[in-house]
Amino acid sequence: MASKSFIEVDPDSHFPIQNLPYGVFKPEPASKPRPGVAIGDYVLDLSEIAAAGLFDGPLLKGSDCFHQPTLNKFVAMGRPAWKEARATIQKLLSSTEPTLRDDASLRQKSLIPMSKVEMLLPTEIGDYTDFFASLHHATNCGIIFVGKENPVPLNWFYLPIAYHGRASSIVISGTDIIRPRGQHFPPANSPPSFGPSQKLDFELEMAAIVGPGNELGKPVDVNEAADHIFGLVLMNDWSARDIQRWEYIPLGPFLGKSFGTTISPWIVTLEALEPFACEAPKQDPPPLPYLAEKISRNYDISLEVQIKPAEQEQSFLITKSNFKNLYWTLTQQLAHHTINGCNLRPGDLLGTGTISGAEPDSLGCLMELTWNGQRPLSLNGTTREFLEDGDEVIFTGFCKGDGYKIGFGTCAGKILPSPSS
């Protein structure tokens, strides 16, 4: 693998030649969407590289997958095609390869400053599922709402719990989120109230982008599930806690979640994350045979959350967590999703659930950080129990290599007032 690109890349950049995450962008407002790869402060236009005939391997030669408005066709092609594309792109961007480096015309057409492009959702997301895979988050939620005695239900330790979310309200980083309205959990012996949520929260998550799907009625083996995962993005599962608390029994989240979910624009592939794979937590009790993995692993991805309060210019770091805090692995989540015969499709999104750690500064949402509003956060003279109008929430995530980072960029959104406010 090439370790240096002919493009200048800052050591703190999230997008060195070792990463090469995929996204979809428009170089001009009137342009058609097209796939691209991030390299330093530039986007490599894969439609131009394909038009130049530079994807000349046996799987990609003649393919129109990089002339599509989404990445769905490419991710559906599977790991051999992903590896072929990655090898080609790394070679073209290498400091020792003249094909793109010395072709001024092609460089001008195919390398666009990231600051000038508009990023779009990378895939057409047909379905979206959100899991509940962090033991620390599940425990804290249980203590807050049930008490310290048996805060986590028994089934949680046997299966990756999840709910089916709303794909239509998934938005790209930078999209404003309007404060939702709904019915709120009432005081004892009172009817519910209605209005804008007063307990609006973020949830620090990541999400897997499904590659090749599976046929209806044919589950994916847990030890082959990684071949069905193209890569990962950052995800903010915005949550209205007062709406959620009132509605979630007996069928789970609905309006408390479906008003908006934000993802980062760049999909970091599992191949780029491979050097940062680590052992997953020991699972006790042992999982049932269909969830028992020969190799059970997570990834060492540092995750941070900042809040930029409405009345301030400065943002404040409030959480430092890590992807390896997840109890249920990505591959277990995907295998469980299909065990009943459910068919996944290319481009589907599988959220991990809130990623909280054991330490007080590693909690993945305000409900945990403020203990459901009882312990307000102090942010340079202002306090927060939950999010206020004008607040911006910014997620970042990266792996630290030897002299480089494999990063995800940012996942950000600002809260706008409810129309009735």
Side-chain angles (χ1 to χ4, degrees), residues 108-183:
Q108 185 177 12
K109 288 190 293 184
S110 64
L111 285 165
I112 302 105
M114 201 175 285
S115 60
K116 293 186 176 181
V117 307
E118 177 189 354
M119 299 304 300
L120 307 170
L121 289 175
T123 63
E124 182 179 350
I125 301 167
D127 280 297
Y128 155 51
T129 301
D130 197 24
F131 285 86
F132 188 45
S134 161
L135 178 57
H136 300 296
H137 177 63
T139 301
N140 290 332
C141 292
I143 292 172
I144 288 171
F145 292 117
V146 179
K148 290 186 177 181
E149 187 173 346
N150 300 320
V152 182
L154 180 62
N155 65 343
W156 192 94
F157 293 97
Y158 284 93
L159 57 89
I161 290 174
Y163 72 94
H164 188 250
R166 184 73 189 175
S168 66
S169 53
I170 296 171
V171 297
I172 200 68
S173 177
T175 305
D176 293 333
I177 298 294
I178 297 173
R179 182 178 296 273
R181 295 186 296 166
Q183 295 187 29

Side-chain angles (χ1 to χ4, degrees), residues 65 88 93-94 96 114 154-155 159 192 197 244 257 316 358 389 397:
C65 65
T88 298
L93 292 172
S94 169
T96 59
M114 201 175 285
L154 180 62
N155 65 343
L159 57 89
S197 171
Q244 179 185 0
K257 299 276 193 175
F316 301 92
D389 293 343

Side-chain angles (χ1 to χ4, degrees), residues 208-231:
I209 303 290
V210 175
N214 59 299
E215 291 183 37
L216 183 66
K218 295 186 177 181
V220 174
D221 186 283
V222 70
N223 294 303
E224 298 173 0
D227 288 336
H228 294 262
I229 299 173
F230 178 62

Side-chain angles (χ1 to χ4, degrees), residues 179-182 184 195-200 239-243 387:
R179 182 178 296 273
R181 295 186 296 166
H184 303 169
S197 171
Q198 301 304 303
K199 289 189 171 184
L200 188 54
S239 301
R241 302 299 185 189
D242 39 8
I243 298 173
L387 296 172

Side-chain angles (χ1 to χ4, degrees), residues 105-382:
S105 175
L106 184 57
R107 279 203 324 272
Q108 185 177 12
K109 288 190 293 184
S110 64
L111 285 165
I112 302 105
M114 201 175 285
S115 60
K116 293 186 176 181
V117 307
E118 177 189 354
M119 299 304 300
L120 307 170
L121 289 175
T123 63
E124 182 179 350
I125 301 167
D127 280 297
Y128 155 51
T129 301
D130 197 24
F131 285 86
F132 188 45
S134 161
L135 178 57
H136 300 296
H137 177 63
T139 301
N140 290 332
C141 292
I143 292 172
I144 288 171
F145 292 117
V146 179
K148 290 186 177 181
E149 187 173 346
N150 300 320
V152 182
L154 180 62
N155 65 343
W156 192 94
F157 293 97
Y158 284 93
L159 57 89
I161 290 174
Y163 72 94
H164 188 250
R166 184 73 189 175
S168 66
S169 53
I170 296 171
V171 297
I172 200 68
S173 177
T175 305
D176 293 333
I177 298 294
I178 297 173
R179 182 178 296 273
R181 295 186 296 166
Q183 295 187 29
H184 303 169
F185 189 80
N189 302 317
S190 299
S193 59
F194 175 84
S197 171
Q198 301 304 303
K199 289 189 171 184
L200 188 54
D201 202 353
F202 66 83
E203 287 193 340
L204 173 61
E205 302 195 22
M206 298 194 75
I209 303 290
V210 175
N214 59 299
E215 291 183 37
L216 183 66
K218 295 186 177 181
V220 174
D221 186 283
V222 70
N223 294 303
E224 298 173 0
D227 288 336
H228 294 262
I229 299 173
F230 178 62
L232 296 178
V233 294
L234 301 170
M235 188 178 104
N236 186 344
D237 178 29
W238 303 96
S239 301
R241 302 299 185 189
D242 39 8
I243 298 173
Q244 179 185 0
R245 182 82 171 95
W246 177 234
E247 73 179 2
Y248 83 106
I249 296 174
L251 292 181
F254 183 33
L255 301 184
K257 299 276 193 175
S258 61
F259 60 93
T261 303
T262 304
I263 64 171
S264 54
W266 296 108
I267 307 172
V268 177
T269 65
L270 292 194
E271 188 167 355
L273 293 172
E274 181 65 28
F276 308 97
C278 58
E279 189 176 357
K282 177 177 171 57
Q283 295 178 339
D284 184 22
L288 296 182
Y290 79 93
L291 290 173
E293 300 183 278
K294 294 176 182 176
I295 301 175
S296 186
R297 62 184 188 172
N298 281 341
Y299 296 94
D300 185 3
I301 306 171
S302 297
L303 301 169
E304 297 182 352
V305 179
Q306 297 187 49
I307 290 182
K308 183 177 178 292
E311 66 274 18
Q312 300 194 27
E313 293 299 318
Q314 184 181 357
S315 59
F316 301 92
L317 179 66
I318 61 167
T319 288
K320 296 180 73 172
S321 189
N322 195 293
F323 186 86
K324 63 185 178 182
N325 286 321
L326 289 177
Y327 183 89
W328 293 105
T329 66
L330 293 173
T331 38
Q332 287 175 318
Q333 292 170 41
L334 188 142
H336 180 69
H337 202 315
T338 69
I339 194 61
N340 68 339
C342 174
N343 55 318
L344 301 179
R345 294 176 294 186
D348 283 356
L349 191 75
L350 307 181
T352 60
T354 304
I355 305 174
S356 293
E359 302 304 318
D361 65 349
S362 66
L363 304 178
C365 62
L366 285 173
M367 184 173 69
E368 292 176 86
L369 286 164
T370 71
W371 213 246
N372 201 24
Q374 297 177 45
R375 309 168 188 167
L377 288 182
S378 178
L379 304 174
N380 192 32
T382 189

